[in-house]
Amino acid sequence: MSDSAPALLTASELVVAFNDRVILDHATLALHEGDRVGLVGRNGAGKSTFLKVLAGQRAPDSGEVAARRDLVVSYLSQEFTLDPKKNVLENIRDGASHVLGLIAEFESLPANSKRHEQLEERITHLDGWNLDNRIESAMSHLGTPPGDRDINSLSGGEKRRVAMCRTLVSRPDLLILDEPTNHLDPEAIEWVAEFLENFGGAFLVVTHDRWFLDRVTNLTVELAEGRFYSYEGGYTEYLLAKAERQRAEAVVEHKRQMFLEKELAWVRQGPRAQRSKQKNRFERYYETAAQAGPVVEEDMELVIPPPPPLGNRVVELSNLAIEFGGRTLFRNFSHVFENGQRIGVAGRNGVGKTSLLKAIIGDLQPTEGTVKTGQLTKFNYVDQSRLQLREERTVIDEVSDGTEFVIWGNGKLSLRAYLKRFLFSDDRINLQVKYLSGGERSRLLLARILKQGGNFLILDEPTNDLDLNTLRVLEEALIAFPGVVLVVSHDRYFLNRVCTGILAFEGDERIAYSVGNYDYYQEKKQRTAASATDWPSKKSPEKASSGRDVLPRVQPVGNKRKLSFKETRELDDMENQVYAVEEQIGRIENLFADPEFHKTHATQTNALLAELAAHKDKLNQLYKRWEELEAIKTAS
């Protein structure tokens, strides 16, 4: 947060409570010009409530929000509304109503009026003359429906993209965004990230997309126990700084407990010292005992029920093709799933990801090709709708389905013990679903679905609406799962942390498979594209007359020569070396992401940072060496 920059909006001593539950407890936060703030916290912590207070859509119980004069704020809420009487384009243009109003006033005034000149400067500052082009660009990149579509005919995801587009085209002084990446595919998320990077105003964003937070924010604010805690940098820097803060708090608490134990022993001995000294010592003891210790965050112990063993054949896809609505989604796709694989499925919306999942489990007959499933393979499919919770039922009734136990490997686990792993205390277990927070609903859905077991787990967009702590626990459970995991997600951080391979829908009816996580897939894709751009295919002089093209060529390294036997072996093994180093980088980054880091690895912080830097340096050297060897191979 840039305290030296002028303040745009200041929230002071805010208090918001729902019945006896305090959401904001005299919380204070200021937003300044140039701020790029990511707001994080558990589901139910009050993030969306705070955004509504800032946007003027909800009044706090006490405290105040002071805004700079003439401040233009644009707010994307999770419960957005669109005008059903207007089409898509008209709703989007409503986002720039303040600009359109200025333009209308400008056109109604004589050219020689002073107000006319003031309006022209203001419209230019807001890029109002380029409004139609900006709207067209945003609609294209966000994949909104055509401008003449009726709002009532849109799906929930389409409405979300229209609302997102309406918010961004306004070019306000302050953007307030609540889950802006929901229902967006990777390309659209990339565009929104670039938009925010180049945005001239300030913004405050709530999102569970950790890659997005690292990409666009320079300040992370955590809302916990009704108060704000600020950390410089994006999500990764926040994790490191929070681990250090918790370590320091743990040291202070340990000293406090040691003092109390020492003083308690003294009190029990009944010393016969001077009365005034006894009185002072008693007062210091009670004062220290009354101090509150640091809040210990409780995490869900999400453990997926142990799966039955898999056979030699898991699932084999051979020359698979699927057509839908007269359009071929993909063709000629073959893949053999093996035990222990965690495969991420990535691609734009509507390319056929869900259709592939349904073909694998047998719910959709492929147009061409075969799906062979092993006799011991048992699917557990979590679809996008994630089923519907029944509002009037209690938490335990929603999971029980008439049983009191969950099958746990060769044994059983009581429903209450199972639900406690999902952070449901005894008083919440008997609560009706309609009284649960958003985070509790997500955890309940996971509990109900995952108890079904299975050794081939298929998850379609499992990260939607899960808070960051729950996401981390889900990731750890999937990493430890001893079966096969197939997961569709637009969450790059999630794909990087969990997956051992990526199935990417690349367009042109093609699905590509890449070993490694999503970032590694992207790097390889970019290298391939760069090679095609930098070294285009040429017709060699000796073959020009025949008209046959030679392979893409690279610039030779020094004199022409062939790879030695040792270099050939080195090149063949280069991808494995790169992947091994990336795994080490991921291992260390996962340690930093662990809330228990300060308890288990705090003394190793500097050593781990040095090790992380060394691995990243080695990775760069490997890529450089890889390019050198490829250049020699191609030029020889």
Side-chain angles (χ1 to χ4, degrees), residues 382-388 442 445-446 449 461-462 464 466:
V382 182
D383 67 9
Q384 275 190 0
S385 67
R386 307 263 298 281
L387 308 176
Q388 296 296 317
S442 295
L445 280 167
L446 282 174
I449 293 165
E461 293 291 356
N464 286 349
L466 298 182

Side-chain angles (χ1 to χ4, degrees), residues 497-570:
R497 191 172 183 208
V498 170
C499 295
T500 61
I502 299 293
L503 290 176
F505 283 69
E506 297 187 329
D508 298 326
E509 305 174 356
R510 179 173 179 268
I511 303 176
Y513 177 67
S514 171
V515 175
N517 62 23
Y518 187 80
D519 276 355
Y520 183 47
Y521 157 71
Q522 285 285 72
E523 288 169 6
K524 289 200 298 182
K525 185 178 177 182
Q526 289 166 7
R527 284 201 303 270
T528 302
S531 297
T533 302
D534 295 341
W535 306 307
S537 297
K538 299 178 181 178
K539 294 180 184 296
S540 62
E542 65 272 17
K543 295 186 178 180
S545 60
S546 68
R548 290 183 295 168
D549 290 337
V550 297
L551 292 174
R553 298 181 64 84
V554 300
Q555 291 298 113
V557 180
N559 297 327
K560 279 189 179 181
R561 68 176 182 85
K562 294 183 179 180
L563 290 173
S564 68
F565 176 76
K566 183 179 180 180
E567 288 172 331
T568 302
R569 293 284 299 274
E570 182 183 1

